[in-house]
Amino acid sequence: WRLEVPLSAEMRRAAKAYVKRAGGAKQAVGAAVVGGAAGVAVLRNVPYVPAGLVGAASGAYAVQLPQGNRLGDSAREIGRQAACLWDMLASAGTWRQ
């Protein structure tokens, strides 16, 4: 699957800077996914979609915080672990002989 979205040069630079500050694309996506799940769990009285979007936006924001920031470092670590878990689950059938 390769989804291409046409971006201007400025948007492309901003996306690259986001990924660099997050510590990698997988960490950024992992933090947003975990944030979305946590948002749904914490905001139980809010409908699922808005709660998930608030959580995902919070995770995406947290990975942008500078190195040494407790919240930012935690979000990057959680995002890295979520990405590792996804890689392990996605390749689960390929390691059997």
Side-chain angles (χ1 to χ4, degrees):
W1 294 65
R2 192 100 183 142
L3 181 63
E4 301 270 339
V5 178
L7 297 175
S8 68
E10 184 177 333
M11 286 294 291
R12 200 169 286 125
R13 279 192 300 272
K16 285 182 182 181
Y18 169 77
V19 169
K20 184 178 179 182
R21 282 191 307 268
K26 288 183 177 182
Q27 283 184 203
V29 172
V33 168
V34 171
V40 170
V42 171
L43 303 172
R44 293 180 304 175
N45 295 330
V46 177
Y48 291 131
V49 173
L53 290 175
V54 166
S58 299
Y61 172 77
V63 295
Q64 295 300 294
L65 296 173
Q67 295 285 338
N69 181 289
R70 192 182 209 172
L71 179 61
D73 291 343
S74 296
R76 282 184 284 279
E77 181 64 23
I78 290 169
R80 185 185 65 75
Q81 291 175 2
C84 287
L85 176 66
W86 178 257
D87 286 343
M88 183 186 70
L89 293 174
S91 65
T94 60
W95 54 271
R96 288 188 218 139
Q97 292 183 5

